[in-house]
Amino acid sequence: MSEFRFAQPEWLHGLWGVLAFVALLFWLERRGVGALDRLIGAALQPRLVRRPTRLRRRMRLALLGLSAACLVVALMRPQLGVRHVAAPRVGAEIMIALDVSKSMLAEDVAPSRLERAKAEIVDLLAFLEGDQVGLIAFAGRATVLAPMTPDFSFLRLVLEGAGPHSVTRGGTRLEEPIRKAVAGFGPAREASRAILLITDGEDHDSFPLDAAKAAAEAGVVIVAIGFGDELGSEIYATDPRSGARELIRDDAGRPVRSRLDGELLRELALVTHGAYVPAGTGVLDLESIYRQHIEPLMVGELDPRGQTVRDEGYQWAVLLGLVFLVSSAAVASGATGAAAAAALCVLLAAPPPAAQAQRPDATAGEPAARPDPTPVADAESNGAGPGAPRAAPADPREIFNLGVAALEAGDVEDAIGHFERARREAGDDGELRFRASYDLGIASAERAAALEAESPEEALRALYTAADWFREAVQQRPEHEDARVNLDVVLRRALLLADRLAQRGAKGVDAELRELAARQRELVAALAGLQLELAEAPDAPASEPLRRAFRARATDQRALLADADRLARAIDAESQGIARRAQEEQTPEDRMRAAQLDGVLHYLHLARERMGQARRQLRQRQGERAYRRASAALAELKRALDQLSDPAGVIDALLRDAGEIAAGTAALAGARRELPGPGARAEIPAWLTAEWLRDEQRYAAERSDELDRRLLAGLEAGAAAGPEQQALLDAVRNAEPRVADAAARFADAADALDADAPERALPHQRDGLAALAEAREWFLDLRGLIELIYADERRIDQVLAAEGEDAEAARAEYRPALRELQDRNIERGERLAGELEAAAAAPPAPGPDGGAPDAEAAAVAQQRFELAGQLLTLALARMDDVASQLAG
């Protein structure tokens, strides 16, 4: 009886209502008897009225009260004990990735590709009851519309509103939905997981195969369904308001052709051991797709841990209530004892319903339980020991045991191969997946130890690989202490090895990024030359020499893309190395470096996208578009370099690039002014187009604006800086308004180029260059400032010293500009005098070893500063005389 309890004891107060109800019945019964006595005499009542005896009437009311009390007890849910039942675990996790790009609005499938796909998905949901299903909409970007959920009504509601407006960027990129889907599944579990990828377009310069390999490593299967025609077709869409059919065009006004890349979808499915279904423009047979490719994933088994279920006793209380209710009716009607007994026998013959713990849609019979797998670590029991070789085992656990044997024998490469295969084929075996990930970390760490002496770079990569495997093991089993300890040990080894490599003179991220940008600049120059060849021969793309040239440039771009990928991995590894350090161990320089690397990674990723686009255009022999994409990749690499440069270096790069843009704009505007008739084109380089200038000018404006934001952030962070940093803060404070002005001027120039008005862009470009030049002056050291003043004074002196009538006319024309330049030089000289005076008064620097300063060297330096100050005073007096001469 110790297990007896009421699950909802709060219904006990209902007995007060039952008591009041019974009291009311007794009062009504007594009142009715009194009324009858007043109407009919006691002697006539037996003859005229047939009624139960008083005892029967009172028994009827008592039985009604007991029936109501039993129902209240049933509401209190008496529970008589506990029992253990096996809990069914069925189903799979399925993430539906739906292409919602504009090409899905095509009406070659009625009513459109998108609406047909949505209708088919709704039909598919009927087969997936009891499973976890999510929804991702993607085009050029991917958005999770519904996370994994069993609530299909919510999923249908979200699916109904999905469309091109669900994402912020057009196109079709398959990498993002795959990666978002894998992340949406969460940590590895026993349930099988699949991505249902529904798309009609080719991939636009992402890396879907890499994402598919990551999905395969996570045990995710991709079932790809391809809409559309692999030969390509034009896309028409109907305006829902006017009903007019419209041909979809790109930004250049050309018709968009949607081509299904079936080969890529086949590769994605093959990598993950999934399936590719070419739907074409017909109707999808999703039932067959479900039966062949999804239903095998729906694993059903009993949880060996089971569940504790309490035996409900409310059925007995309900039964007693019904017995009392029937008995009250029998007592009141005077039924015979035999009839009442028969009714009770009928009620007692029906057993109370037993509590069932099963899936709502489970069929009759016992569920098919999976056999208990052989313990992974028991290699000898499987015959996988050193003395029992097996030929190509099919069981992933046997494959794992072969890896264990190989690792014990010292064959690390063979062990890694077996572990990777076992993990890839583990399916829903979570224990095997965890053990394979953990032992892959062990094997990779041993591989790093073997390579460290001969090839430290390979050893470092092996350590990073080991860290990735241990991190995966920790994600699967957070409570596993050995995985956490090994992860920490491997990361420390990697950090020490990376420091040693850096000390040995490795190029580092900065140098590799500059080298990559220089090689991309060479490729852009080669593409410019290719553009000139194309302009000379209109039919050139069809010629064999130029086809070879396009292929060679595409190969060069592919090599650069591979190097960019490798550099991105190296930068990510360095960033993660900093992030893994404890907060108290990170110095301000570490945090600054981490922020810089994050910015570099962002722009390097954009550069990789542009490189992929350039390679694709080169393979299609689209010279102009390939040149623009390659130039855009170079611009993104420059922005990545800006993250690692100081403000002065960024301004120098901006001055050089903005000067080239201004020269191109001047050439284009000048050529148009020389045209004899409207609409004609002068001889200008084929690569120099208004579109290219617009893109480059926009990049210059964005780089200037980003530099301005960096300067503002530096001013905010330096509010509490010490006296030794005041000089730099003063330079930033004076340069920032000029950089902001340059960014605004460059943005105005970009707007003018957008309007196809290069002549209006030129003044904005010149003003922006002047503002940048003024900002650059504030970051010059003493020597640089002196050289700048000297160079400008030489220009002024050459103009003033020239002889002849032409020279006199030039002096008259340029006198205001010369006076302005002379006044600026005087301001620079006064600033330089103040800096020289401060340098002469500064305390001497400490010795080489941090000891006492060299008094003799300090005295010589002070004398030099004082002499320079005296000479500058004479120079300023001469500048004043020249300024007076120019003013007169």
Side-chain angles (χ1 to χ4, degrees):
M1 296 297 292
S2 60
E3 296 293 336
F4 179 81
R5 71 165 194 169
F6 288 103
Q8 294 177 314
E10 61 272 12
W11 283 101
L12 178 64
H13 299 289
L15 293 177
W16 296 107
V18 173
L19 183 60
F21 174 67
V22 172
L24 177 63
L25 290 179
F26 272 98
W27 179 77
L28 291 174
E29 172 66 22
R30 185 173 182 179
R31 180 183 176 185
V33 171
L36 185 61
D37 291 340
R38 289 191 298 272
L39 179 64
I40 303 174
L44 294 177
Q45 286 183 9
R47 299 179 182 180
L48 299 177
V49 179
R50 186 178 180 180
R51 60 185 300 186
T53 64
R54 178 174 296 182
L55 178 60
R56 282 177 177 267
R57 294 197 302 270
R58 291 181 178 179
M59 286 180 61
R60 176 177 63 86
L61 297 181
L63 289 173
L64 284 175
L66 289 175
S67 176
C70 288
L71 294 179
V72 171
V73 172
L75 291 174
M76 294 170 65
R77 288 183 58 199
Q79 295 176 339
L80 306 178
V82 296
R83 60 191 174 94
H84 294 276
V85 297
R89 182 173 64 244
V90 295
E93 293 181 348
I94 300 173
M95 185 67 81
I96 300 174
L98 176 62
D99 187 351
V100 294
S101 60
K102 289 186 177 180
S103 60
M104 288 290 285
L105 300 177
E107 299 170 359
D108 49 0
V109 178
S112 69
R113 295 179 183 177
L114 180 59
E115 293 302 322
R116 171 58 61 84
K118 289 159 69 172
E120 299 287 0
I121 292 173
V122 171
D123 293 340
L124 178 65
L125 293 180
F127 299 99
L128 302 178
E129 288 295 334
D131 301 305
Q132 298 278 335
V133 182
L135 178 64
I136 291 177
F138 73 92
R141 288 285 185 267
T143 302
V144 179
L145 298 184
M148 302 301 298
T149 177
D151 185 0
F152 289 178
S153 59
F154 168 72
L155 195 65
R156 292 187 184 95
L157 181 64
V158 173
L159 179 63
E160 183 180 352
H165 59 276
S166 302
V167 293
T168 58
R169 178 177 174 180
T172 304
R173 302 180 73 252
L174 300 179
E175 177 185 9
E176 280 202 38
I178 296 175
R179 294 194 181 277
K180 282 186 179 290
V182 173
F185 287 122
R189 298 190 297 175
E190 300 296 325
S192 297
R193 305 183 294 181
I195 299 173
L196 190 62
L197 182 64
I198 303 176
T199 179
D200 74 333
E202 57 187 334
D203 179 70
H204 291 172
D205 314 304
S206 66
F207 306 93
L209 287 177
D210 294 342
K213 291 177 183 177
E217 292 176 357
V220 178
V221 175
I222 295 178
V223 178
I225 300 176
F227 273 102
D229 189 352
E230 293 193 16
L231 299 177
S233 59
E234 294 182 347
I235 307 301
Y236 290 88
T238 301
D239 190 335
R241 290 176 294 183
S242 64
R245 296 182 76 247
E246 179 183 4
L247 178 64
I248 297 179
R249 301 179 180 273
D250 59 14
D251 295 338
R254 291 181 291 268
V256 174
R257 292 185 63 85
S258 174
R259 187 183 71 86
L260 175 64
D261 193 347
E263 188 62 32
L264 175 60
L265 295 180
R266 290 186 188 92
E267 291 184 28
L268 293 178
L270 182 62
V271 167
T272 61
H273 303 283
Y276 167 59
V277 182
T281 57
V283 179
L284 286 178
D285 185 4
L286 283 182
E287 182 175 0
S288 298
I289 296 172
Y290 167 79
R291 298 296 181 194
Q292 296 178 15
H293 307 299
I294 299 177
E295 190 175 31
L297 300 175
M298 301 175 64
V299 181
E301 61 182 32
L302 296 179
D303 191 342
R305 295 171 298 179
Q307 291 182 352
T308 299
V309 178
R310 291 189 174 272
D311 288 325
E312 297 285 348
Y314 69 90
Q315 303 94 339
W316 299 106
V318 172
L319 180 61
L320 283 175
L322 292 175
V323 169
F324 287 134
L325 183 62
V326 172
S327 299
S328 67
V331 169
S333 62
T336 63
L344 290 177
C345 289
V346 171
L347 289 173
L348 291 174
Q356 299 292 332
Q358 63 181 15
R359 187 177 174 181
D361 58 348
T363 58
E366 293 183 1
R370 301 179 63 209
D372 186 33
T374 306
V376 175
D378 192 2
E380 296 297 334
S381 65
N382 281 335
R390 290 179 178 265
D395 186 1
R397 289 187 173 243
E398 294 184 6
I399 297 171
F400 173 85
N401 291 330
L402 289 179
V404 173
L407 187 60
E408 291 176 352
D411 192 350
V412 176
E413 298 298 333
D414 190 43
I416 290 177
H418 282 102
F419 290 146
E420 288 180 344
R421 182 183 169 192
R423 186 179 183 280
R424 185 169 58 249
E425 300 179 3
D428 63 336
D429 193 340
E431 175 66 20
L432 177 58
R433 186 178 300 281
F434 164 74
R435 295 297 300 274
S437 300
Y438 180 82
D439 284 2
L440 275 168
I442 296 292
S444 298
E446 292 189 5
R447 182 173 183 270
L451 292 171
E452 188 168 350
E454 297 180 359
S455 179
E457 291 83 4
E458 289 291 333
L460 182 61
R461 282 193 285 271
L463 285 174
Y464 286 138
T465 302
D468 291 337
W469 287 123
F470 284 130
R471 193 176 296 108
E472 176 70 20
V474 170
Q475 290 178 355
Q476 296 180 40
R477 299 286 175 83
E479 71 280 0
H480 198 273
E481 188 63 26
D482 289 345
R484 292 183 175 276
V485 172
N486 285 333
L487 175 60
D488 184 64
V489 171
V490 166
L491 290 176
R492 290 183 180 276
R493 285 178 57 189
L495 184 61
L496 292 174
L497 183 57
D499 291 342
R500 285 210 311 271
L501 288 174
Q503 292 173 2
R504 285 173 52 181
K507 288 192 294 186
V509 171
D510 308 46
E512 289 193 22
L513 188 58
R514 288 189 177 86
E515 181 180 344
L516 184 65
R519 292 169 57 196
Q520 184 68 23
R521 186 178 291 107
E522 293 175 0
L523 177 62
V524 170
L527 293 180
L530 194 59
Q531 281 287 89
L532 296 178
E533 295 183 36
L534 288 173
E536 293 174 359
D539 299 330
S543 64
E544 182 59 29
L546 276 180
R547 278 204 300 267
R548 287 197 299 268
F550 273 110
R551 284 197 298 268
R553 299 291 81 79
T555 302
D556 294 341
Q557 186 65 87
R558 182 67 184 92
L560 285 168
L561 181 58
D563 290 341
D565 293 341
R566 178 185 54 78
L567 180 58
R569 289 194 295 270
I571 295 173
D572 184 60
E574 182 179 349
S575 179
Q576 290 184 8
I578 297 174
R580 292 184 192 112
R581 300 176 189 170
Q583 287 289 335
E584 57 273 10
E585 296 180 3
Q586 294 184 10
T587 64
E589 290 77 12
D590 289 337
R591 289 189 284 272
M592 181 180 297
R593 180 68 173 178
Q596 289 176 336
L597 293 178
D598 288 343
V600 171
L601 273 177
H602 172 70
Y603 290 115
L604 185 57
H605 178 68
L606 295 178
R608 291 163 60 203
E609 288 189 0
R610 302 296 183 267
M611 288 178 182
Q613 294 168 359
R615 177 173 176 263
R616 178 165 165 263
Q617 298 298 334
L618 285 169
R619 293 172 63 184
Q620 297 177 359
R621 296 193 291 277
Q622 298 289 334
E624 178 186 350
R625 303 179 79 177
Y627 177 76
R628 289 179 57 191
R629 297 297 185 274
S631 299
L634 177 60
E636 298 294 354
L637 289 175
K638 291 176 181 177
R639 297 182 72 175
L641 279 170
D642 289 347
Q643 310 303 309
L644 303 175
S645 304
D646 56 17
V650 177
I651 294 175
D652 288 338
L654 276 172
L655 284 170
R656 180 178 60 253
D657 296 338
E660 294 176 359
I661 298 169
T665 306
L668 186 61
R672 291 186 178 183
R673 281 197 301 268
E674 296 171 0
L675 299 179
R681 291 285 176 183
E683 288 295 330
I684 56 175
W687 53 267
L688 183 57
T689 62
E691 292 80 5
W692 177 82
L693 284 174
R694 177 195 61 202
D695 294 342
E696 293 297 304
Q697 187 64 69
R698 189 68 66 186
Y699 279 122
E702 292 174 357
R703 290 174 66 189
S704 302
D705 183 66
E706 186 174 15
L707 175 60
D708 180 53
R709 285 186 272 111
R710 285 177 58 186
L711 295 178
L712 289 173
L715 290 175
E716 294 178 1
E724 65 279 1
Q725 296 179 335
Q726 286 303 318
L728 177 60
L729 286 176
D730 290 341
V732 171
R733 190 174 294 108
N734 286 283
E736 186 277 325
R738 293 165 173 81
V739 173
D741 182 49
R745 299 294 183 182
F746 288 154
D748 293 339
D751 292 339
L753 290 172
D754 284 339
D756 198 22
E759 64 283 350
R760 288 198 289 111
L762 275 173
H764 297 301
Q765 291 173 339
R766 291 166 182 158
D767 292 342
L769 284 168
L772 281 180
E774 292 180 11
R776 180 64 179 91
E777 293 180 15
W778 291 96
F779 294 102
L780 294 174
D781 55 8
L782 293 176
R783 182 183 183 88
L785 190 56
I786 291 173
E787 290 177 350
L788 179 63
I789 296 173
Y790 174 74
D792 286 348
E793 283 300 317
R794 284 200 61 185
R795 294 193 190 96
I796 297 173
D797 184 64
Q798 288 173 358
V799 174
L800 294 178
E803 298 179 356
E805 296 181 359
D806 294 340
E808 188 64 32
R811 278 194 293 271
E813 181 180 358
Y814 294 115
R815 183 180 297 271
L818 293 175
R819 172 59 191 272
E820 181 180 355
L821 181 58
Q822 187 65 60
D823 291 341
R824 188 184 305 166
N825 258 0
I826 292 175
E827 293 177 2
R828 295 168 179 165
E830 292 174 350
R831 176 156 59 91
L832 177 61
E835 293 181 5
L836 288 172
E837 184 178 353
D849 299 330
D854 188 346
E856 183 177 356
V860 171
Q862 185 176 10
Q863 290 176 1
R864 289 180 176 177
F865 286 133
E866 292 176 352
L867 178 59
Q870 294 172 3
L871 294 175
L872 182 60
T873 302
L874 296 175
L876 284 173
R878 172 60 181 161
M879 291 180 192
D880 288 336
D881 294 340
V882 174
S884 301
Q885 179 182 352
L886 291 172

